[in-house]
Amino acid sequence: MVSLRLVLQQTVTALGAVGGGVYLYGPAEDGRRCLRLVEDRGTPDGLPFSGGSVGTEVESASTRAIRSQQMAWLPSAPRPSTMHTGVAAVPVCSNGDVIGVLAVLTSRPAPPTTAERALLEMAARRIARRLEDGMESPGSGDLSAEQSVHEALETVRVGAWNWNIRTGDIDWDDHMTRVLGIPPESFDGRIETWRALVHPEDLPAVVTKAEQALSKGGEYSVRHRVLRPDGTVIWVEARGRIVTGGDGHPVRMVGRLWETTETRAAMDSVGRALQHMSDGLLAADSDGRIMYVNGRAEKLLGPLSDVCGQVLWEIAALNVARLEGQCRAAMAHQAIKELDARSPSDHRWYHLRIIPVPDGLTVYLSDVTEKREREARHAAEERAAAERTARIGGLTRALAEALTVQDVVNAVAQRVLPLFGASGLIVQAFDPQGGGAVEAVGYPTSYVNRLADKPQNNPFDHALRSGRPQFVDSPQQLAAQYPGLGAFTAEGGKRAWALLPLLVSGRLVGGCVISFDQPRRLEDAERGLLIALSGLIAQTLERARLYDAEHQRAQELQRGLLPRALPQPPAVSSAARYVPASGSMLGGDWYDVIPLAGDRVALVIGDVMGHGLPEAATMGRLRTAVQTLAGIELPPDEIFAHLNELVSDLGDDFYASCLYALYDPASAKCVVVRAGHVPPAVVAPDGTVSLLDLPANPPLGAATPPFETVELVLPSESVLVLYTDGLVESAQRDIDTGIAQLARALTSSLKAAEQSMGLASQHLPAVDHGQTGRLDDLCASLTSDLLPEDEHTADDAAVLVARVHALSTDCIATWTLSDEPVAAGQARAHIRGRLAEWHLDELSLTTELIVSELVGNVVRHAKGPLQLRLIRSRTLICEVSDQSLTTPRIRHAEDTDEGGRGLQLIAALSQRWGVRYTSNGKCIWTEQPLTDTLTTGPDTAPA
């Protein structure tokens, strides 16, 4: 029946079925016909057709196939311990008669497909032909179907037995005697006789299985060897079931027995193959206890005698995380599980393939250490390549964004050095005049300072002269090629170098040295990459050099447009600070302090919107215009009207913000006007910080005159803080938050300053330069608080801080005069008396002449009433005011003219003179210098 067995095995394998069997018609014990199993493959215990015989009256897939004479499929009842889902059966026909059934256990919940059905029918026809070939002999003629079945049963030799448990008697049929090899007449019907035939080594297992079946009431199944009386040894398989009596206790066990010697031989062959397979194999029961390990697995786990019965996941060699969970999940879900684990015993990696089987698990162990190492190396190479690509990409982006030579050095140090494991970098950029800036990273400062005095014969100069890269792998190679460099290179602390000339279109623009702490021979690929990167670095370095030169010129222009030094008039101590934007664009922020007549001071700050050379030029024009308009004593609102017209004429794209404050120390009043500018801050003498509430006129270029002004009183020693929006506004901070932060910074900074300097004197004939220095510290403190050095600023910023000093009443004298000719004499008398009080008698004659001429000019050409004011400050100021708007002018008088020489006399006697308009007329003023002896009299207060 070998050919029948092969057909069945091929069919089960081709269909991917769990198992299968071939049934043939045969007589039952009661004389009825039944289907008896003649061959099976992979049929698990406990399935519907796994018994020795099936009655034709039983409803099953096999009986349906016989009745319908075509394929039948029935789903099997669900069982927790199995995954079978159906039985498919096709009739086996010979000469038009049904002689048996081919049945298989399917593993899908659906009937067989058309292709699978065709395969089953073809297998049934092959089985029929095998049976017909085995039952025919020469000259025998045709046999009946029943005779064919009988011959087939004789060939298969499946015996049936019935054991009376209570009496120990056993009955079996003739097939049993043939399988066991004993004559029927010599069998005494005792169970002990049967057991005597069992091989002694297998007897304990047979007895144990029988006792388990009796105690649990389950099915009996065992494979063992039989010692026949003729001395031969065969393998048999016995299966049975318990029959209980009325009291529920076991009464009989009935079953079948057949020879499996050929199957066992095949299994032994398979076992030998498994024992010597390259992968480890082990079998475990449903509790995870090991029952079998092959030779490869024994090398890892130990001999079978040592590990048999131990729990799989508790063995030290396999005590890895997740193993128990994966094993239990495989059995619970009847699904294959896989995992990679590193053995704690030999520290090698194994791939475990866990396959559930009906009675437990089968585990394949494959040593994948080399594979994982290859994968790890490959992954490391891929990571290194990805990191190298990322670094090169980052270098490209960083070089594209680099503006200065220092930016280029930083980009190369951050991106290139880690790429090659280097530790030192020197970059030298050449300018057209032959000089060059040197930047270094990873070298001592003393060594960098000596680079200009390095020996003539060195590899760096050689690389620059030849235009070819030089690679020095060790100090020994350097000493051999360039003698005399040992002491110089030892100071740098490096032991291998890559020296690269930086060329742009064949022109040398610089050089680059990349160095290593240890001797290092660069591979060809690394050298090629360095040479390629040197071209990229050279292009960026040349662009950065040009940018540095342009940026330097721009900064020089910017500094030229701003005041080089602020004037220090008596009424104001001031300081300023300008911070350019982080980029290279020119800004439009400016500030100024403009001394005016009568010790008055104009404080101005502005911001041309935008960045660039046109905005910087506009800023310069506005600053010049403000100085000019303030110098001719125009009121602040008129000054802004002229500035607005100037900006409007530049075009629609030009706008500017501006704030102008005119401070008069004689009255302590300040007139302020702003156009689109942030409000100034005022710090009172007691340290209170406030923001001035000023009308918000539109920016210059977008406004329509007139401009609203505000007049306020600033107590002496108040601090006026003017600033541009770049100081308080940024991408990370809105303008309101910035102004609030400015107020806090002012409070903290001035508190510290006041503790160290105290209050200044109210009398100001001279300037306190120490106070100016403290105001400069205040500017530095504000810019450092609001514009940290590490913060990128997109806008330039300016801040102007001024501490105002009001004049003491002792330094001011005012008289009202009539517009009669006697006014000149009255004025001279007033002047003479006050100068005597101030101990300025030496100026009396000159001052009387000046005042007499000014008053006389008003009496003759203007209208009263007249007002005379004398101010003692850094200079002696004399002012004569009237209610006429007529402006006096100096004329060139002829020799015969009797008049027209008054203003010439005033210009000759005074240091400066001028005219300014007031709200109700004009004021003509003169200034006379005071010597040190004249300003330090007994009644003169210090500044």
Side-chain angles (χ1 to χ4, degrees), residues 636-646 648 673-675 697-709:
D637 55 341
E638 292 188 25
I639 292 176
F640 269 43
H642 288 290
L643 295 178
N644 182 69
E645 184 177 356
L646 187 153
S648 298
V673 60
R674 67 166 176 156
N697 296 296
L700 300 176
T704 301
F707 290 85
E708 294 186 59
T709 62

Side-chain angles (χ1 to χ4, degrees), residues 282-412:
L282 61 88
D285 61 14
S286 57
D287 294 328
R289 298 188 181 279
I290 296 177
M291 298 182 297
Y292 170 79
V293 292
N294 68 349
R296 184 67 183 87
E298 285 184 342
K299 294 181 179 179
L300 173 65
L301 305 180
L304 178 60
S305 58
D306 295 340
V307 300
C308 186
Q310 295 189 42
V311 178
L312 170 63
W313 46 82
E314 292 180 357
I315 296 178
L318 289 179
N319 188 15
V320 296
R322 298 176 54 221
L323 178 57
E324 180 180 0
Q326 292 291 78
C327 290
R328 295 190 183 280
M331 290 187 290
H333 302 99
Q334 289 295 298
I336 297 174
K337 299 293 182 180
E338 299 184 56
L339 77 155
D340 282 1
R342 191 174 187 181
S343 172
S345 60
D346 60 2
H347 303 291
R348 297 184 66 83
W349 284 94
Y350 293 91
H351 177 73
L352 279 68
R353 181 176 172 84
I354 306 168
I355 303 174
V357 295
D359 295 329
L361 296 169
T362 298
V363 182
Y364 291 90
L365 298 96
S366 302
D367 190 335
V368 294
T369 305
E370 287 76 12
K371 176 184 176 183
R372 288 183 67 94
E373 289 177 350
R374 288 195 303 270
E375 292 176 349
R377 287 193 299 270
H378 182 66
E381 292 172 355
E382 288 186 340
R383 286 194 301 270
E387 182 179 359
R388 184 165 55 250
T389 302
R391 288 187 181 276
I392 294 175
L395 173 65
T396 303
R397 290 190 298 270
L399 292 178
E401 297 172 358
L403 296 177
T404 66
V405 174
Q406 186 60 52
D407 292 340
V408 176
V409 173
N410 294 339
V412 175

Side-chain angles (χ1 to χ4, degrees), residues 288-626:
R289 298 188 181 279
I290 296 177
M291 298 182 297
Y292 170 79
V293 292
N294 68 349
R296 184 67 183 87
E298 285 184 342
K299 294 181 179 179
L300 173 65
L301 305 180
L304 178 60
S305 58
D306 295 340
V307 300
C308 186
Q310 295 189 42
V311 178
L312 170 63
W313 46 82
E314 292 180 357
I315 296 178
L318 289 179
N319 188 15
V320 296
R322 298 176 54 221
L323 178 57
E324 180 180 0
Q326 292 291 78
C327 290
R328 295 190 183 280
M331 290 187 290
H333 302 99
Q334 289 295 298
I336 297 174
K337 299 293 182 180
E338 299 184 56
L339 77 155
D340 282 1
R342 191 174 187 181
S343 172
S345 60
D346 60 2
H347 303 291
R348 297 184 66 83
W349 284 94
Y350 293 91
H351 177 73
L352 279 68
R353 181 176 172 84
I354 306 168
I355 303 174
V357 295
D359 295 329
L361 296 169
T362 298
V363 182
Y364 291 90
L365 298 96
S366 302
D367 190 335
V368 294
T369 305
E370 287 76 12
K371 176 184 176 183
R372 288 183 67 94
E373 289 177 350
R374 288 195 303 270
E375 292 176 349
R377 287 193 299 270
H378 182 66
E381 292 172 355
E382 288 186 340
R383 286 194 301 270
E387 182 179 359
R388 184 165 55 250
T389 302
R391 288 187 181 276
I392 294 175
L395 173 65
T396 303
R397 290 190 298 270
L399 292 178
E401 297 172 358
L403 296 177
T404 66
V405 174
Q406 186 60 52
D407 292 340
V408 176
V409 173
N410 294 339
V412 175
Q414 295 173 6
R415 306 288 182 174
V416 176
L417 298 190
L419 186 62
F420 296 92
S423 60
L425 172 69
I426 298 175
V427 175
Q428 184 173 12
F430 299 144
D431 56 37
Q433 288 72 33
V438 177
E439 300 288 347
V441 174
Y443 283 92
T445 305
S446 59
Y447 180 80
V448 177
N449 295 334
R450 289 189 57 196
L451 287 177
D453 302 326
K454 60 183 179 293
Q456 294 298 321
N457 186 25
N458 64 80
F460 186 53
D461 288 346
H462 184 201
L464 297 181
R465 288 192 302 268
S466 64
R468 293 191 298 271
Q470 299 289 317
F471 298 95
V472 181
D473 303 336
S474 64
Q476 293 76 16
Q477 180 184 350
L478 182 68
Q481 295 179 355
Y482 302 92
L485 279 178
F488 180 78
T489 56
E491 185 177 348
K494 306 304 179 185
R495 301 178 65 79
W497 302 265
L499 307 109
L500 309 169
L502 302 179
L503 303 172
V504 175
S505 301
R507 179 172 54 87
L508 186 67
V509 299
C512 177
V513 179
I514 295 175
S515 53
F516 304 85
D517 287 338
Q518 299 297 327
R520 169 77 181 276
R521 176 172 178 78
L522 295 171
E523 301 294 337
D524 292 342
E526 293 177 316
R527 294 187 177 189
L529 181 58
L530 275 175
I531 294 172
L533 291 177
S534 68
L536 181 61
I537 297 170
Q539 295 283 350
T540 308
L541 188 65
E542 176 66 2
R543 188 184 73 241
R545 186 191 63 78
L546 295 174
Y547 170 83
D548 284 344
E550 180 182 355
H551 187 58
Q552 183 178 1
R553 290 192 295 268
Q555 287 183 331
E556 291 175 355
L557 174 62
Q558 187 84 55
R559 287 192 295 267
L561 294 175
L562 292 173
R564 294 187 179 274
L566 292 177
Q568 298 296 333
V572 168
S573 300
S574 61
R577 182 64 60 91
Y578 174 79
V579 180
S582 300
S584 61
M585 301 299 292
L586 293 173
D589 291 10
W590 94 95
Y591 54 86
D592 221 335
V593 177
I594 306 173
L596 300 175
D599 272 359
R600 295 175 308 139
V601 179
L603 305 171
V604 60
I605 192 167
D607 180 8
V608 178
M609 298 180 185
H611 297 85
L613 190 59
E615 285 74 12
T618 302
M619 177 264 284
R621 297 176 64 180
L622 285 176
R623 179 170 175 247
T624 302
V626 171

Side-chain angles (χ1 to χ4, degrees), residues 744-763:
R744 291 192 297 270
L746 275 172
T747 301
S748 59
S749 299
L750 287 173
K751 280 183 179 179
E754 292 294 347
Q755 291 175 359
S756 62
M757 77 180 190
L759 293 177
S761 172
Q762 301 292 324
H763 304 283

Side-chain angles (χ1 to χ4, degrees), residues 813-826:
T814 306
W815 301 277
T816 302
L817 306 174
S818 66
D819 56 356
E820 299 296 329
V822 296
Q826 295 172 351

